[in-house]
Amino acid sequence: MMTIDQLPALLAEAANAARHAYSHAIATLDGTERRRTVGPGADGTETYLLDVIVERPILDVLESARVNVLSEEVGWIDRGSAATIVMDPVDGTANAAAGIPICGFAAAAVIDDRVEFALVEWFDTGRTWTATRGERSVSVSMQTSLDGVSLSMLRPRAATRPAWHELAERADRIRVLGASVLEAGLVADGAVDAFCDPGGDVHRIVDVAATSLIVENAGGHVCDVWGRPFTFDPDLSKRWSGVFASSAGLAEEIVDVVTRHAPAPPPQVSVR
């Protein structure tokens, strides 16, 4: 039976399996194969062949440990364990499939609906973020105002363009990297002041489970634009508009801009 003290090593072993599978896939698959989709995953979105290739060896590691799994592609695996690994085998798969090296692995060890340990790894650089609940070391920028910030966002969509453009106009620099877990990690490092989904309800629990603890342990603030709590039930159709900011004040300003343009929170319903 896996003990809580063994969970950080398990996350590291899973990340190692993910890294090796990703590197092998990038080296052996051509662009057409990397971009091939194989049907919808457990979250209702299209699954790339690359996602499946990377997920398989991670699942082998977690099966040996007999922990529960909640993964973007395979969904919910209940082994009756007290611990659940909530993971995204490849965040930023569209980047990886296109040959853009901005993608990574994210996993959180959840016990009693609370993230106890977290790990995010940037595949192509080896840069890694880890967090343990209760261990805090401030590394965020501590920016408290939206004006003049360095801001990373998801790309604008039809429903989010008004909020996106106001946020962009007030910021000093804007980045759209296409890999949520890495962008949140950069907030934890103080490299950017904030990262957000400007009201599009794109984030799934696999995007925010690990990164929420990482950013909060670094002194930042994490919330949903609409104030909804992050839940760890097996329903991967649920979505959030995550805000990862260097301070609560900055997060509140971002939320204010988004909710002024879209004042009614979207319902938590299936997107399938």
Side-chain angles (χ1 to χ4, degrees), residues 60-112:
D60 290 341
V61 169
L62 301 180
E63 181 178 12
S64 297
R66 302 307 300 167
V67 292
N68 307 330
V69 177
L70 184 60
S71 175
E72 178 182 1
E73 310 308 336
V74 75
W76 171 242
I77 301 174
D78 185 0
R79 297 193 171 102
S81 173
T84 297
I85 305 303
V86 180
M87 69 170 187
D88 190 345
V90 185
D91 183 62
T93 313
N95 284 344
I100 299 169
I102 305 176
C103 57
F105 168 76
V110 177
I111 299 176
D112 295 329

Coordinates of all heavy atoms in Angstrom, one line a residue, residues 60-112:
D60 N 1.3 2.6 -16.4 CA 2.0 1.4 -15.9 C 2.6 1.7 -14.5 O 2.6 0.9 -13.6 CB 3.1 1.0 -16.9 CG 2.5 0.4 -18.2 OD1 1.3 0.0 -18.2 OD2 3.2 0.3 -19.2
V61 N 3.3 2.9 -14.4 CA 3.9 3.3 -13.1 C 2.8 3.4 -12.0 O 3.0 2.9 -10.9 CB 4.7 4.6 -13.3 CG1 5.1 5.1 -11.9 CG2 5.9 4.4 -14.2
L62 N 1.7 4.0 -12.4 CA 0.7 4.2 -11.4 C -0.1 3.0 -11.0 O -0.5 2.8 -9.9 CB -0.3 5.3 -11.8 CG 0.4 6.7 -12.1 CD1 -0.6 7.7 -12.6 CD2 1.1 7.2 -10.9
E63 N -0.2 2.1 -12.0 CA -0.8 0.8 -11.7 C 0.0 0.0 -10.7 O -0.5 -0.7 -9.8 CB -1.0 0.0 -13.0 CG -1.7 -1.4 -12.8 CD -1.9 -2.2 -14.1 OE1 -1.3 -1.8 -15.1 OE2 -2.6 -3.1 -14.0
S64 N 1.3 0.0 -10.9 CA 2.2 -0.7 -9.9 C 2.0 -0.2 -8.5 O 2.1 -0.9 -7.5 CB 3.6 -0.6 -10.4 OG 3.8 -1.2 -11.6
A65 N 1.8 1.1 -8.4 CA 1.6 1.7 -7.1 C 0.2 1.6 -6.5 O 0.0 1.9 -5.3 CB 2.0 3.2 -7.2
R66 N -0.7 1.1 -7.3 CA -2.1 0.8 -6.9 C -2.8 2.1 -6.4 O -3.6 2.0 -5.5 CB -2.2 -0.3 -5.9 CG -1.5 -1.6 -6.3 CD -2.1 -2.1 -7.6 NE -3.6 -2.3 -7.5 CZ -4.3 -2.5 -8.6 NH1 -3.8 -2.5 -9.8 NH2 -5.6 -2.7 -8.4
V67 N -2.5 3.2 -7.0 CA -3.2 4.5 -6.7 C -4.4 4.7 -7.7 O -4.3 4.2 -8.8 CB -2.3 5.7 -6.7 CG1 -1.3 5.6 -5.5 CG2 -1.6 5.8 -8.0
N68 N -5.3 5.5 -7.3 CA -6.4 5.9 -8.3 C -5.8 6.9 -9.3 O -4.8 7.6 -9.0 CB -7.5 6.6 -7.5 CG -8.1 5.8 -6.4 OD1 -8.1 4.6 -6.5 ND2 -8.6 6.5 -5.4
V69 N -6.4 7.0 -10.4 CA -5.9 7.9 -11.5 C -7.1 8.7 -12.0 O -8.1 8.2 -12.3 CB -5.2 7.1 -12.6 CG1 -4.8 8.1 -13.7 CG2 -4.0 6.3 -12.1
L70 N -6.8 10.0 -12.2 CA -7.7 10.9 -13.0 C -6.9 11.6 -14.1 O -6.1 12.4 -13.7 CB -8.4 11.9 -12.1 CG -9.5 12.8 -12.8 CD1 -10.6 11.9 -13.4 CD2 -10.1 13.8 -11.9
S71 N -7.0 11.1 -15.3 CA -6.1 11.6 -16.4 C -7.0 12.1 -17.5 O -8.1 11.6 -17.8 CB -5.2 10.4 -16.9 OG -4.5 10.8 -18.0
E72 N -6.4 13.1 -18.2 CA -7.1 13.8 -19.3 C -7.6 12.8 -20.4 O -8.7 12.9 -20.9 CB -6.2 14.8 -20.0 CG -6.8 15.5 -21.1 CD -5.9 16.5 -21.8 OE1 -4.8 16.6 -21.4 OE2 -6.4 17.2 -22.8
E73 N -6.8 11.8 -20.7 CA -7.1 10.9 -21.8 C -7.9 9.7 -21.3 O -9.0 9.4 -21.8 CB -5.8 10.5 -22.5 CG -4.9 11.6 -22.9 CD -5.5 12.7 -23.6 OE1 -6.6 12.5 -24.3 OE2 -5.0 13.8 -23.6
V74 N -7.4 8.9 -20.4 CA -8.0 7.7 -20.0 C -9.2 7.9 -19.0 O -10.1 7.1 -18.9 CB -7.0 6.7 -19.3 CG1 -6.6 7.1 -17.9 CG2 -7.5 5.3 -19.4
G75 N -9.2 9.1 -18.3 CA -10.3 9.4 -17.4 C -10.0 8.8 -16.0 O -8.9 8.9 -15.5
W76 N -11.0 8.2 -15.4 CA -11.0 7.8 -14.0 C -10.7 6.3 -13.8 O -11.4 5.5 -14.4 CB -12.4 8.2 -13.3 CG -12.6 7.7 -11.9 CD1 -13.6 6.8 -11.6 CD2 -11.9 8.0 -10.7 NE1 -13.5 6.5 -10.2 CE2 -12.5 7.3 -9.7 CE3 -10.8 8.8 -10.5 CZ2 -12.0 7.4 -8.4 CZ3 -10.3 8.9 -9.2 CH2 -10.9 8.2 -8.1
I77 N -9.7 6.0 -13.0 CA -9.4 4.6 -12.7 C -9.5 4.5 -11.2 O -8.7 5.1 -10.5 CB -8.0 4.2 -13.2 CG1 -7.9 4.4 -14.7 CG2 -7.7 2.8 -12.8 CD1 -6.5 4.1 -15.2
D78 N -10.4 3.8 -10.7 CA -10.7 3.6 -9.2 C -10.1 2.3 -8.7 O -10.5 1.3 -9.1 CB -12.2 3.7 -8.9 CG -12.5 3.7 -7.5 OD1 -11.5 3.6 -6.6 OD2 -13.6 3.7 -7.1
R79 N -9.0 2.5 -7.9 CA -8.4 1.3 -7.3 C -8.6 1.2 -5.8 O -8.0 0.4 -5.1 CB -6.9 1.3 -7.6 CG -6.5 1.2 -9.1 CD -5.1 0.9 -9.4 NE -4.8 0.7 -10.8 CZ -4.3 1.5 -11.6 NH1 -3.9 2.7 -11.2 NH2 -4.1 1.2 -12.9
G80 N -9.6 2.0 -5.4 CA -9.9 2.0 -3.9 C -8.8 2.5 -3.0 O -8.8 2.3 -1.8
S81 N -7.9 3.3 -3.6 CA -6.8 3.9 -2.8 C -7.3 5.2 -2.2 O -8.2 5.9 -2.6 CB -5.6 4.2 -3.8 OG -4.6 4.9 -3.1
A82 N -6.6 5.6 -1.1 CA -6.8 6.9 -0.5 C -6.3 8.0 -1.3 O -6.6 9.2 -1.1 CB -6.3 6.9 0.9
A83 N -5.3 7.7 -2.2 CA -4.6 8.7 -3.0 C -5.0 8.6 -4.4 O -5.2 7.5 -5.0 CB -3.1 8.5 -2.9
T84 N -5.2 9.8 -5.0 CA -5.5 9.9 -6.5 C -4.5 10.7 -7.1 O -4.2 11.8 -6.7 CB -6.9 10.5 -6.7 OG1 -7.9 9.6 -6.1 CG2 -7.2 10.6 -8.2
I85 N -3.9 10.3 -8.3 CA -3.0 11.1 -9.1 C -3.9 11.7 -10.2 O -4.4 11.1 -11.0 CB -1.9 10.2 -9.7 CG1 -1.2 9.5 -8.6 CG2 -0.9 11.2 -10.4 CD1 -0.6 10.3 -7.4
V86 N -3.9 13.1 -10.1 CA -4.6 13.8 -11.1 C -3.6 14.4 -12.1 O -2.7 15.1 -11.7 CB -5.4 15.0 -10.5 CG1 -6.2 15.8 -11.5 CG2 -6.4 14.5 -9.4
M87 N -3.7 14.0 -13.4 CA -2.6 14.3 -14.2 C -3.0 14.7 -15.7 O -4.1 14.3 -16.1 CB -1.6 13.1 -14.3 CG -2.1 11.9 -15.0 SD -0.8 10.7 -15.3 CE -1.7 9.5 -16.3
D88 N -2.1 15.4 -16.3 CA -2.2 15.7 -17.7 C -0.9 15.2 -18.3 O 0.2 15.8 -18.1 CB -2.4 17.2 -18.0 CG -2.7 17.5 -19.4 OD1 -2.5 16.6 -20.3 OD2 -3.1 18.6 -19.7
P89 N -0.9 14.1 -19.1 CA 0.3 13.5 -19.6 C 1.1 14.5 -20.5 O 2.3 14.5 -20.4 CB -0.2 12.3 -20.4 CG -1.5 11.9 -19.8 CD -2.1 13.2 -19.4
V90 N 0.4 15.2 -21.3 CA 1.0 16.2 -22.2 C 0.1 17.4 -22.2 O -0.9 17.4 -22.9 CB 1.2 15.7 -23.6 CG1 2.0 16.8 -24.4 CG2 2.0 14.4 -23.7
D91 N 0.5 18.5 -21.5 CA -0.2 19.7 -21.6 C 0.5 20.5 -22.7 O 1.7 20.7 -22.7 CB -0.1 20.5 -20.3 CG -0.9 21.8 -20.4 OD1 -2.1 21.7 -20.6 OD2 -0.3 22.9 -20.3
G92 N -0.3 21.1 -23.6 CA 0.3 21.7 -24.8 C 0.6 20.8 -25.9 O 1.5 20.9 -26.7
T93 N -0.3 19.8 -26.1 CA -0.1 18.8 -27.1 C -0.1 19.4 -28.5 O 0.7 18.9 -29.4 CB -1.2 17.7 -27.1 OG1 -1.3 17.2 -25.7 CG2 -0.8 16.5 -27.9
A94 N -0.9 20.4 -28.7 CA -0.9 21.0 -30.1 C 0.4 21.6 -30.4 O 0.9 21.6 -31.6 CB -2.0 22.1 -30.2
N95 N 1.1 22.2 -29.4 CA 2.5 22.7 -29.6 C 3.4 21.5 -30.0 O 4.1 21.6 -30.9 CB 3.0 23.4 -28.3 CG 2.4 24.7 -28.1 OD1 1.8 25.3 -29.0 ND2 2.5 25.2 -26.9
A96 N 3.3 20.5 -29.2 CA 4.2 19.3 -29.4 C 4.0 18.7 -30.8 O 5.0 18.4 -31.5 CB 4.0 18.3 -28.3
A97 N 2.8 18.6 -31.1 CA 2.5 18.0 -32.4 C 3.0 18.8 -33.6 O 3.4 18.3 -34.7 CB 1.0 17.8 -32.6
A98 N 3.0 20.1 -33.4 CA 3.5 21.1 -34.4 C 5.0 21.2 -34.4 O 5.6 21.9 -35.3 CB 2.9 22.4 -34.2
G99 N 5.7 20.6 -33.4 CA 7.1 20.7 -33.3 C 7.6 22.0 -32.5 O 8.7 22.4 -32.6
I100 N 6.6 22.5 -31.7 CA 6.9 23.7 -30.9 C 7.2 23.2 -29.5 O 6.4 22.6 -28.9 CB 5.8 24.7 -30.9 CG1 5.5 25.2 -32.3 CG2 6.0 25.8 -29.9 CD1 4.2 26.0 -32.4
P101 N 8.4 23.4 -29.0 CA 8.8 22.8 -27.7 C 8.3 23.5 -26.4 O 9.1 23.8 -25.5 CB 10.4 22.8 -27.8 CG 10.6 24.1 -28.5 CD 9.5 24.2 -29.6
I102 N 7.0 23.7 -26.4 CA 6.4 24.4 -25.2 C 5.3 23.5 -24.8 O 4.1 23.6 -25.1 CB 5.9 25.8 -25.5 CG1 7.1 26.7 -26.1 CG2 5.4 26.4 -24.2 CD1 6.6 28.1 -26.5
C103 N 5.6 22.4 -24.0 CA 4.7 21.5 -23.5 C 5.3 20.8 -22.3 O 6.5 20.8 -22.1 CB 4.3 20.4 -24.6 SG 5.8 19.6 -25.3
G104 N 4.4 20.1 -21.5 CA 4.9 19.5 -20.3 C 4.0 18.5 -19.7 O 2.9 18.3 -20.2
F105 N 4.4 18.0 -18.6 CA 3.7 17.0 -17.8 C 3.3 17.6 -16.5 O 4.0 18.4 -15.9 CB 4.6 15.8 -17.5 CG 4.1 14.8 -16.5 CD1 3.0 13.9 -16.8 CD2 4.6 14.8 -15.2 CE1 2.6 13.0 -15.8 CE2 4.2 13.9 -14.2 CZ 3.1 13.0 -14.5
A106 N 2.1 17.3 -16.0 CA 1.6 17.8 -14.7 C 0.9 16.7 -14.0 O 0.1 16.0 -14.5 CB 0.6 19.0 -14.9
A107 N 1.2 16.6 -12.7 CA 0.5 15.7 -11.8 C 0.4 16.2 -10.4 O 1.3 16.8 -9.9 CB 1.3 14.3 -11.8
A108 N -0.7 15.8 -9.8 CA -0.9 16.2 -8.4 C -1.4 14.9 -7.6 O -2.1 14.1 -8.1 CB -2.0 17.3 -8.3
A109 N -0.9 14.8 -6.4 CA -1.3 13.7 -5.5 C -2.4 14.3 -4.6 O -2.1 15.2 -3.8 CB -0.1 13.2 -4.7
V110 N -3.6 13.8 -4.7 CA -4.7 14.3 -4.0 C -5.2 13.3 -3.0 O -5.4 12.1 -3.3 CB -5.9 14.6 -5.0 CG1 -7.1 15.1 -4.2 CG2 -5.4 15.7 -6.0
I111 N -5.4 13.7 -1.8 CA -5.9 12.9 -0.7 C -7.0 13.7 0.0 O -6.8 14.9 0.4 CB -4.8 12.5 0.4 CG1 -3.7 11.7 -0.3 CG2 -5.4 11.8 1.5 CD1 -2.6 11.4 0.6
D112 N -8.2 13.1 0.1 CA -9.4 13.7 0.8 C -9.6 15.1 0.1 O -9.8 16.1 0.8 CB -9.1 13.9 2.3 CG -9.0 12.6 3.0 OD1 -9.7 11.6 2.5 OD2 -8.3 12.5 4.0

